[in-house]
Each structure stands twice: as C-alpha cells, then as structure tokens.
Amino acid sequence: MSPSSENPILVIANRLPVTLSRSSRGLERRHSTGGLVSALDPLLTHRGGTWVGWPGTKLREGEQLARPDDPYPMVPVELSASEVNRYYHGFSNATLWPLFHSLPDRARFDRHCWDSYETVNRRFAEVAAEWSDGAELVWVHDYQLLRTPLHLRRIRPDARIAYFLHIPFPPYDLFRLLPWDRELLRGLLAADLVGFHVRGYAQNFLECVERLLAQRVDRDSGLIEHGERTVQVEAFPIGIDFRQYEQRAMAVQQREPRREKVVLGVDRLDYTKGISQRLRAFERLLEMHPEHREKVVLLQLAVPSRDQVSEYQQLKREIDELVGRINGRFATSGWSPIQYLYRSLPPERLSQLYRDSDVALITPLRDGMNLVAKEFVASQVDDPGVLVLSRLAGAAETMREAILVNPFDIDGTAGAVHRALTMDEAERRSRIVALRRRERRNSVDLWANSFLAGARAAGGKLAPPADSEFDAWVGEFLRGYHLALFLDYDGTLARIADHPSAADLSPGMRDALVRCASRDDTDVGIVSGRSLDDVSKMVGLEPILYAGNHGLEIEGPGIRRFTHEDLGHYRQRLQELARDLEETCIPGAWVEEKGASLTFHYREADETQHVRLAEEAQRKIRAAGFQSRQALCAVEARPPIGWDKGHAVLHILRTRYGPAWSASVRPVYAGDDETDEDVFRVLSGLGRTFRVGSADVPTTADRQLADVDAVLAMLQYLARR
Ligand code: GDG
C-alpha cells in the first residue's frame, strides 16, 4: 500500500497491532496484546488511519507485513538486533519503565542505550514523516517514543502533533534522577498536546517542566510556554470498548457450578503489577481467616512479557516458587489454593473468567490506568463480583466504588479480600452498578474523541507574566540590594528585523528603560554584539551603560571607557577580512563592520545560496585567524580574545561596585542567544538570568521568557517594584 493522502490520523507507537515472529514454520503473524493495542486498534478500524510501528522481527526480502484484509495500513519501522537490545530492552524497559513506575532501584542508566533510543526515536519520526501528508493529526504513543515529537517537528514544522503517555509520569524527585531528564521533556514539548491518564501525572509533568526547564507553566489551565509555541497538557482517562466486553460476557457459556469462590488476577507478568505481593496477601488471608480454606481459590493468569530480560525471568522464578510454597503449605487432597496459568488466553476465555469470578484482585504497585479492572467490571452481567483495586493504579482515581487497597500493605489487602468475599449481594450490586455506569459512559471511543478534540483545540496562549510571577522569581532576591540590570539588545529589547538598522526600540520599552534607570537603587546596562556606537545610538538614553562588540568595548556612567587591550592588534586584520568577505557578497548579502568584530549577513540573498555563502564566510573567517560563529542568516567574526559578554559583565560589576560587589549588588540579566549563555554561566548563583525566545535549545539561564513582550513586562515590574 502506498502513502495515502486521505488518512485522518497517523498513529506512531513502538509496536504495531500485529507482531511477527519467526519459527520453524516460517514467519507468523499474530495480534499484539497489551493495553495500548486494546485501545487504539478499534479506533483505527472504525475511523481509518495509518499505524507506524515495529513489527517485532526483521522482514526478509520479498516478505510482506500487510494482508489484503487489513482494516488499515500498517507501516513497519525496522530495528537491528542491537537496537532491540539497547533502545527497547535497555532504555525503554530497563530505564524508563521502572523509573516512571516509581521503582528507581530497578532502573539502569546507560549512555549507549540512550544513544540508541535517540537514533530509533528519530527513525520513527522519519518513517512517519513520509506518511504524514494530509494527516489531520500525528498521534505519538507511550514511553518508548518520548523524543519522537521533537524529531518529527524538525522535519514537519507545521504538523499537528499530539502525544499520549500510557504509563504514569513520575514525580519531579524521581524524574530528575534521569541523566537525560531535560532532553526527554524537550522531546515531548514539540507536541501541541501532551496527554496523560490522570491529573496527578499531568501535574508531575508540569512541575518537571517548570523546575527543570525553567519554563512558564499555568498549572490550572495546563498550558506551558515553550518559546513561541504553547503546549497544552491535559488528562484523558482511557476507557475500554465496554459493549464488546459486555456482549462477550453475555455470550459465553454459563459457569459450571463450582465448589469454591474464585479470586481472579490477570496481568502481563511484570514486577509493577504486584503479583508477588498479591500472592502473599492471599496467603495471609488463609492464615487470618481459615474459614476460607478449601472454599476459595486464587486464579492468577500471567501473560508472558519481556521474557528475554533477566529481571523478568527472575520474577517468573520468584512467582513459581511462591505459588509452589503457598500451595504446598495449604493444599488438601481435593483443593489447591492457587491456580496459576502462565500463558495468554483467547478473548472469549478471558471474558468467561471475568464473568465467573467472585472477586478481581488487581494490585499493581503502580499502573498508568489498568484496563483489566475496567474489563472485569464490564463483564459483570450476571451475579455481581467485587473489584479490589490498588490505590496506586490510575484507574483508582475514578473507580471509587471499588475496594481500594495499598498493595504494599499485605495485611490490609488480605482484609480487603475477606471483605469482598463476605460482602452481601445488595452491596455488591450497588457498587458494580455504579462502576458499570461510569465505564459504559467513559468508553474508549469517548477517550479517543476527547483526545482528538483536545488536539484540534490546542493552541491557547499564556498572558505575559504577571507581577506575582516576577515577585516569585526576583522579588525576594532583590529585597535590600542594589539592582544591576543587564539586557541584550536584539531579540531581547527589540524584535529581530529584516535589517539590523530596522530593529528599533518600541516607545513602551524605551519608557520602561528610562523608568528603571531613573531609580536610585537600579543601574541599567545594555550588552550587545553590535558595535558600541551602534547600540548606544539605537537606544540613545543617557544614564545607561553600553557594552558593544560582545563586551570588548564598554562605556557609561560610573566606568571609564574600556576597550580590550588586545583589540588594536586585530583592527587592521579585521579590515582586511572585511575586504575579503566583500568579494563573497552577492545581491542581498553584506558585511557589517563593527570596529572590533564584523558580521557577514546573507538574510536577503537567494535562499539556494545560503549554505554556500555561510560555508565560504566561515572558511575565510577562520583562515584570517578569527573565531567564526553562526547566527541567524549571518556569520560573525570575532577576534580570538578570551573575552565574552560574561567577562564584560563581571568586569563592569567589579569596576563599578568594587571587588566585594556581591555583598550589596544583585545582577539580573536577560538575553536571547548563544552569546548570552556566557553571562548565564558566570552569574549562576550570583544573579537571576532569563533566556528569551526559542525554548528548543538547552540553556543555563534560571528562567525562560517567551519574547520581547515578556521582557517589557519584567522591566515594567522592575520599574515600579
Ligand atoms: C499499559 C499501561 C494502561 C491480558 N491478558 C490477556 C489479555 N490481556 C489484555 C487485557 C488488557 C491488556 O491486556 C492489559 O492492559 P493493562 O491496562 O492492564 O496493562 P498494560 O499492558 O501494562 O498497559 C496501563 C494501558 O497501557 C492503556 O493505556 O492502562 O496502565 O501499563 O486489555 O485484556 N488479552 C488476551 N488474553 C490474555 O490472556 N486476549
């Protein structure tokens, strides 16, 4: 099948809804299991779309994944054996999975695995990009693909991208254990909408963004300011295909009369599912309440999962032993307390188990949502069973009529099972009726539709920061101190214009600067890459200090004019370089001489020439013994003097306020580009720093501000504080 332009939704998930495996019989294809496939397969079947994912094995020459009767196209992403190890078993399942489930002791951190994760995430984005033409939405799923939205945004800047995480998002204190914490956050923030199962996970994510990326977050509306873009964060609790489970339960054969009551556990065999704790709680039940012996069985279905990973093999051994020990301890001639099945069952058989069980004991240590709890409820079409559910599953947020337990509390869980087994029919019925009503309404269709509507609606904007925010960022910090306020010019005080000469200061900004500078407890300095003459003309205000040429020249109140002593040596050579670069100029390219440095601009030249112009300029600049630095449609040449904006700011502080300046002066700095990072670094801990504009690049600033308007809001605050 070829890429279609009519697909409304493009789903990207680690796994395709079918899994291929190779055996002596050749290539086999079966339906994938797990919560994600259960949720999305019906959606694409009904509405159409395309699914991009890993098929589970490598296809050989001539082999086909697709079949003519497939309800929608599936596009395979190939992984090498080493990528399966590092990206999938490694970073996804041995790092992110335990950490996101708040089990940090199990998490392994390995740089090779991270590198592979990045490579594979990029590949998913590249494959998806080929199929994204005409798609209304690209919907990326789950923890294996946290970086994919960013890679996709780079290829398709205008695509509508949404992301949903199927597992919990951990609290800040755990998330920051990851050496790649910021990279993962930036990966997700390339999406327009980021969805989680419950509000708690969304709040954790917002807190991480606020604290680790220093971006503005509105916790009530779930909006994040990410440079010029705004990202919407929201909870969308997933549901199930309720009717399907209900109908299947009604269709299956009537239960054969049994002697014992059945307590049911159904999980992928995974340490997060709390199977060992559950077995111990059941053992405790038989100790505490001997009356249940020979009258109750625990039927535990464990579906094989990740069985090539040693931790999962070890878990399997642990559970085998536990089952053996408990059965050995309590079994009588006609009764074994635990029936343990290590396999997957067909859906009809699963429905029968759900319907015929008296209690569902679902005790994950942490779980994004847990669909089994919902499937059990939907299957109670006959004698109502009781749901005993872990408080630590996302499902517990809404399924309040279940008996909620702490899975780590073995005695408490045993007590809850006893209560469930002895609950009278009236109470069982009233609980299950309420649970069923909610799940019927909040089915998987509603989940998908609300998410899609959320993705369409995403795009709100935060108002510029309010005084209360600046109070939190700098209020206390400045109290009782003199303020030394430093500001970059282009992109910080003035919007970037087509030509540098057109980047004027707005009247509002000029007024705010004047009002700041006229305060006795505040000094203002402008630190720019422009020449000193140029920047002081652009601003044109008297009581302000100016540092031009990235701080090589400084002049202003309280300081003698400063020109870096090595500059003279380079002036002559800089003029020669300027003449050389003039020869590279074509229409729309020009050389801006700034005395101590120069900039080669090509913003208005024919776009097909941009790369060539930049490369040639860089080559000439380096050959002349200058440092070259790429800027937006421009290449800068600076003398190779170990002096930058950071040195300049420290020089000003020392000269103006003395070597012990930090006892009485507090610097605040705002800048929008790479050269400002030098100041952020030297002022870290000593001042408060703000990076303005694009949020995709790493910064050491204390906070990020979206744009020039936010800088204006800050100056107005500082002027009237
Ligand atoms: C992740 C999150 C979140 C199980 N055994 C058999 C079988 N299953 C099906 C169940 C259910 C699915 O597998 C398991 O879903 P869960 O939600 O319980 O758990 P995860 O696989 O860990 O799913 C989870 C989910 O994503 C959705 O966002 O709820 O928190 O961890 O549908 O029925 N299906 C068949 N035979 C079995 O033996 N046919």
Side-chain angles (χ1 to χ4, degrees), residues 12-16 20 22 27 51-66 74-85 87-88 116-128 130-131 145:
I12 317 178
N14 171 60
R15 284 286 185 150
L16 282 172
L20 299 178
R22 209 173 283 288
L27 192 66
W51 189 316
V52 174
W54 174 47
T57 196
K58 252 194 147 71
L59 285 162
R60 291 182 188 152
E61 193 73 19
E63 285 178 340
Q64 281 291 330
L65 170 86
M74 299 178 215
V75 182
V77 177
E78 299 253 326
L79 301 184
S80 70
S82 128
E83 285 166 348
V84 172
N85 251 326
Y87 145 77
Y88 182 64
S116 175
Y117 185 82
E118 178 72 340
T119 307
V120 172
N121 270 243
R122 192 181 309 118
R123 185 173 316 141
F124 269 86
E126 285 162 0
V127 173
E130 286 175 33
W131 289 75
L145 300 177

Side-chain angles (χ1 to χ4, degrees), residues 210-343:
E210 188 170 31
R211 296 179 72 169
L212 292 169
L213 296 184
Q215 289 179 14
R216 285 185 67 217
V217 160
D218 181 346
R219 298 215 186 184
D220 295 329
S221 63
L223 287 177
I224 297 174
E225 196 171 75
H226 189 60
E228 300 93 63
R229 295 180 38 252
T230 309
V231 182
Q232 176 77 55
V233 176
E234 223 173 314
F236 298 92
I238 200 168
I240 57 163
D241 188 342
F242 188 92
R243 278 170 52 83
Q244 187 191 38
Y245 277 90
E246 184 181 55
Q247 282 167 359
R248 230 192 259 143
M250 290 199 277
V252 292
Q253 272 184 0
Q254 281 299 311
R255 164 187 192 164
E256 289 165 24
R258 279 186 87 126
R259 268 194 317 130
E260 306 104 353
K261 288 194 167 183
V262 177
V263 175
L264 177 70
V266 176
D267 316 80
R268 281 187 305 100
L269 188 88
D270 194 294
Y271 51 80
T272 60
K273 300 288 181 184
I275 302 174
S276 321
Q277 287 81 351
R278 184 181 314 159
L279 295 173
R280 285 202 201 91
F282 192 71
E283 177 181 32
R284 194 80 191 93
L285 171 82
L286 299 177
E287 284 169 0
M288 281 163 45
H289 297 283
E291 68 271 24
H292 292 307
R293 295 184 194 174
E294 300 192 306
K295 304 239 166 46
V296 177
V297 293
L298 170 65
L299 200 165
Q300 175 63 51
L301 172 64
V303 182
S305 175
R306 306 174 195 171
D307 46 11
Q308 287 140 18
V309 179
S310 69
E311 279 203 294
Y312 286 76
Q313 293 162 356
Q314 197 189 324
L315 176 71
K316 177 170 184 304
R317 280 196 297 276
E318 186 190 319
I319 289 172
D320 285 347
E321 280 168 26
L322 207 51
V323 170
R325 185 175 66 68
I326 300 170
N327 275 344
R329 183 173 166 199
F330 292 100
T332 57
S333 58
W335 172 76
S336 276
I338 301 174
Q339 281 180 28
Y340 174 56
L341 304 179
Y342 177 64
R343 72 176 88 116

Side-chain angles (χ1 to χ4, degrees), residues 505-714:
L505 213 51
S506 71
M509 192 67 95
R510 188 176 299 277
D511 174 62
L513 276 174
V514 170
R515 290 198 291 125
C516 283
S518 61
R519 283 179 65 120
D520 291 342
D521 62 356
T522 303
D523 295 317
V524 180
I526 312 286
V527 185
S528 170
R530 292 177 184 247
S531 73
L532 184 61
D533 278 355
D534 185 8
V535 67
S536 52
K537 266 194 213 110
M538 292 303 287
V539 180
L541 297 171
E542 271 300 313
I544 286 184
L545 175 143
Y546 296 95
N549 270 310
H550 302 285
L552 288 168
E553 315 163 289
I554 303 169
E555 188 170 36
I559 197 159
R560 255 192 312 135
R561 185 182 168 112
F562 165 89
T563 309
H564 195 281
E565 58 192 15
D566 292 349
L567 256 189
H569 173 71
Y570 288 98
R571 278 195 204 280
Q572 171 76 21
R573 286 166 57 186
L574 204 63
Q575 282 166 11
E576 286 162 18
L577 174 62
R579 278 197 294 280
D580 192 14
L581 284 171
E582 295 284 359
E583 284 169 24
T584 301
C585 288
I586 58 172
W590 76 97
V591 178
E592 182 192 358
E593 289 192 58
K594 304 193 286 188
S597 67
L598 65 76
T599 304
F600 174 78
H601 295 270
Y602 52 86
R603 194 178 301 147
E604 287 160 27
D606 178 7
E607 241 179 75
T608 62
Q609 297 298 311
H610 280 195
V611 174
R612 184 189 66 77
L613 289 170
E615 283 174 0
E616 194 169 320
Q618 283 163 4
R619 191 177 48 72
K620 285 186 170 177
I621 290 168
R622 280 196 292 266
F626 288 85
Q627 287 172 344
S628 106
R629 200 186 66 89
Q630 184 65 47
L632 199 67
C633 292
V635 186
E636 291 186 349
R638 287 157 67 180
I641 301 175
W643 188 264
D644 53 39
K645 286 182 172 183
H647 289 87
V649 165
L650 284 184
H651 173 83
I652 296 166
L653 287 165
R654 279 194 222 105
T655 324
R656 205 160 178 182
Y657 312 108
W661 62 268
S662 60
S664 55
V665 177
R666 295 241 137 139
V668 168
Y669 186 96
D672 78 314
D673 84 18
E674 220 25 58
T675 60
D676 299 303
E677 292 290 332
D678 295 321
V679 190
F680 302 153
R681 264 189 296 277
V682 299
L683 289 188
S684 84
L686 290 165
R688 285 285 185 274
T689 54
F690 296 85
R691 171 105 189 214
V692 183
S694 161
D696 276 345
V697 281
T699 178
T700 42
D702 295 313
R703 295 224 55 94
Q704 308 222 19
L705 293 177
D707 49 23
V708 173
D709 290 341
V711 177
L712 175 62
M714 178 161 84

Side-chain angles (χ1 to χ4, degrees), residues 79-276:
L79 301 184
S80 70
S82 128
E83 285 166 348
V84 172
N85 251 326
R86 290 178 168 173
Y87 145 77
Y88 182 64
H89 295 312
F91 200 77
S92 298
N93 289 336
T95 307
L96 296 175
W97 178 264
L99 192 71
F100 278 39
H101 284 89
S102 295
L103 299 167
D105 288 355
R106 289 185 181 260
R108 282 193 281 115
F109 302 106
D110 178 323
R111 174 153 293 280
H112 299 297
C113 291
W114 161 254
D115 291 342
S116 175
Y117 185 82
E118 178 72 340
T119 307
V120 172
N121 270 243
R122 192 181 309 118
R123 185 173 316 141
F124 269 86
E126 285 162 0
V127 173
E130 286 175 33
W131 289 75
S132 70
D133 282 347
E136 172 201 341
L137 177 73
V138 184
W139 189 358
V140 187
H141 288 266
D142 225 0
Y143 63 101
Q144 302 92 345
L145 300 177
L146 292 160
R147 291 278 295 171
T148 297
L150 178 65
H151 294 298
L152 190 60
R153 176 70 65 204
R154 287 180 180 156
I155 313 173
R156 294 264 180 272
D158 299 325
R160 182 136 286 243
I161 304 173
Y163 178 93
F164 189 82
L165 184 70
H166 289 261
I167 67 174
F169 195 89
Y172 166 74
D173 258 346
L174 291 177
F175 184 72
R176 66 176 167 155
L177 299 181
L178 264 174
W180 305 279
D181 50 1
R182 292 177 173 82
E183 285 82 349
L184 293 180
L185 295 177
R186 274 196 289 271
L188 285 190
L189 291 175
D192 300 291
L193 171 69
V194 180
F196 299 93
H197 281 308
V198 300
R199 200 178 135 77
Y201 309 155
Q203 291 296 324
N204 287 346
F205 178 69
L206 291 169
E207 177 168 5
C208 287
V209 170
E210 188 170 31
R211 296 179 72 169
L212 292 169
L213 296 184
Q215 289 179 14
R216 285 185 67 217
V217 160
D218 181 346
R219 298 215 186 184
D220 295 329
S221 63
L223 287 177
I224 297 174
E225 196 171 75
H226 189 60
E228 300 93 63
R229 295 180 38 252
T230 309
V231 182
Q232 176 77 55
V233 176
E234 223 173 314
F236 298 92
I238 200 168
I240 57 163
D241 188 342
F242 188 92
R243 278 170 52 83
Q244 187 191 38
Y245 277 90
E246 184 181 55
Q247 282 167 359
R248 230 192 259 143
M250 290 199 277
V252 292
Q253 272 184 0
Q254 281 299 311
R255 164 187 192 164
E256 289 165 24
R258 279 186 87 126
R259 268 194 317 130
E260 306 104 353
K261 288 194 167 183
V262 177
V263 175
L264 177 70
V266 176
D267 316 80
R268 281 187 305 100
L269 188 88
D270 194 294
Y271 51 80
T272 60
K273 300 288 181 184
I275 302 174
S276 321

